[in-house]
Every structure is written in structure tokens, then in C-alpha cells.
């Protein structure tokens, strides 16, 4: 599925709560009915955001594309599984996610960095509006990437 279409799912799934998150490549067993806790989805989002950044920085656009899809799903999950999360807070993430998608498609490092800043502002705006302003996400600058994953594209390791 094209990345832009994937991102568009976010808007649909956020507004129609009966529509599940886009069918994943590895769907869970139908017996697995336990929704993850919201903090688990958010902890996943944090790692996806970090990996997305390093993949883009390393110009591994395939990996960036993959991480953006995961992050988009985490955001959609927050809207679908948690009625306490205002849907409008999630749909405002759509444009920043699409902007990152466009930068990835264009392979444009500068646009990628700028769009990641916009996306990160979106994370923090929702935290603030939900009395979680003490959870502040930033662009990874001097931190190390998760040391057990190689971010450069295959063949350039
Ligand atoms: C639609 C609202 C919303 C958006 C958008 C959102 N979050 Fe959250 N996030 C929350 C809420 C609410 C909590 C606190 C959950 C709780 O108190 O159980 C949270 C908690 C967190 C936590 C703390 C988890 C922990 O256990 O320490 C992290 C990290 C986090 N979010 C990362 C992100 C990242 C990264 C993004 C953007 C890519 C993001 N969030 C976007 C609503 C949002």
C-alpha cells in the first residue's frame, strides 16, 4: 500500500471507531482481544519516532517508510481503543504525518527534518491538552540511536 494512502487511514479510522487499524501483515489471533494499555502504545510510538528519525537521517527511506507506518498505526490505535482520547487530537496528526511521508517519498533530508519537528510538536500539543504536558518529546539530537539496530541502508553497512 502506498504510504500516502496508509496515512489517510488515520483520518478514517479515527473518525469511524468501528473500523479497525489497517490490516497488519501479521494479524493477531482472533482470541487476542486485549487492547494494549495506552502507555504501551505511546512507548511504542516513542521508539518508532526515534527510529524514524535515525532512518531518515541515514537516508534509509525504506526503513523510514516502515517506521512511519508503525507510528501511524500507534496513533490510530490511541484514537480507536481509548474513548478518553479526543479524536480531534489524533486527526490533527494527519497533516504532520503526511508531510513526513512526502519528505520520505521525495528523499529530501531537509524537508524530512522540518516535518519531523512539526510531527513532534503534534505529540506535545496532545500531551499538553490532556494534562500530560510533563511528557515532552524532542528530536533526538545527541542521543545515540538504539545501539542494537543498524540504520544505514543494506549494502552500506
Ligand atoms: C491524541 C493524543 C496524543 C498524541 C497525538 C500523542 N500522545 Fe503520547 N500520550 C498521550 C496520553 C494521554 C498519554 C498518557 C497516558 C496515560 O496517562 O496513561 C501519553 C503518554 C506518552 C508517553 C509516556 C509513556 C510512558 O510510559 O512514559 C510517551 C513516551 C508518549 N506519549 C509519546 C508520544 C509520541 C512520541 C507521540 C507523537 C509521535 C505522541 N505521544 C502523541 C496522548 C497522546
Amino acid at each position: 500500500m502506498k504510504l500516502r494512502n496508509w496515512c489517510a487511514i488515520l483520518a478514517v479510522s479515527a473518525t469511524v471507531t468501528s473500523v479497525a487499524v489497517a490490516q497488519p501483515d501479521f494479524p493477531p489471533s482472533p482470541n487476542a482481544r486485549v487492547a494494549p494499555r495506552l502507555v504501551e502504545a505511546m512507548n511504542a510510538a516513542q521508539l518508532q519516532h526515534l527510529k524514524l528519525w535515525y532512518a531518515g537521517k541515514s537516508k534509509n527511506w525504506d526503513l523510514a517508510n516502515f517506521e512511519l507506518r508503525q507510528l501511524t498505526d500507534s496513533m490510530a490505535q490511541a484514537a480507536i481503543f481509548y474513548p478518553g482520547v479526543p479524536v480531534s487530537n489524533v486527526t490533527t496528526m494527519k497533516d504532520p504525518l503526511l508531510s513526513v511521508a512526502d519528505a520520505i517519498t521525495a528523499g529530501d533530508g531537509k524537508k524530512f527534518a522540518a516535518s519531523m519537528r512539526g510531527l513532534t510538536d503534534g505529540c506535545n500539543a496532545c500531551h499538553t491538552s490532556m494534562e500530560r504536558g510533563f511528557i515532552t518529546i524532542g528530536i533526538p539530537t545527541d542521543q545515540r540511536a538504539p545501539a542494537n539496530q543498524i540504520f544505514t541502508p543494506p549494502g552500506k553497512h
Side-chain angles (χ1 to χ4, degrees):
M1 185 188 296
K2 280 226 175 93
L3 186 57
R4 259 196 102 82
N5 296 345
W6 188 274
C7 285
I9 287 170
L10 181 68
V12 177
S13 52
T15 41
V16 185
T17 47
S18 60
V19 174
V21 174
Q23 189 65 26
D25 290 341
F26 302 99
S29 149
N31 297 325
R33 300 202 186 282
V34 181
R37 291 163 64 215
L38 180 55
V39 280
E40 285 170 15
M42 287 295 154
N43 277 325
Q46 182 179 16
L47 194 54
Q48 287 149 1
H49 174 271
L50 180 82
K51 289 185 175 191
L52 173 59
W53 173 256
Y54 281 109
K57 235 184 127 187
S58 308
K59 301 210 180 304
N60 187 346
W61 301 117
D62 286 340
L63 179 60
N65 194 340
F66 173 83
E67 295 299 347
L68 183 62
R69 278 174 51 172
Q70 307 308 320
L71 182 61
T72 302
D73 268 1
S74 297
M75 293 294 108
Q77 265 186 343
I80 291 166
F81 293 134
Y82 305 95
V85 175
V87 166
S88 59
N89 279 15
V90 182
T91 46
T92 53
M93 297 298 280
K94 187 181 145 224
D95 285 347
L97 287 165
L98 285 174
S99 162
V100 177
D102 286 345
I104 291 172
T105 304
D108 184 334
K110 268 200 179 135
K111 190 170 183 252
F112 176 79
S115 58
M116 281 297 290
R117 279 191 285 276
L119 180 68
T120 307
D121 289 346
C123 307
N124 292 327
C126 183
H127 293 163
T128 302
S129 82
M130 295 189 68
E131 297 176 352
R132 298 293 187 281
F134 49 85
I135 301 169
T136 311
I137 305 300
I139 294 288
T141 47
D142 48 8
Q143 286 123 313
R144 286 172 60 92
N148 58 355
Q149 184 168 354
I150 297 156
F151 285 87
T152 46
K156 297 196 176 168
H157 296 166

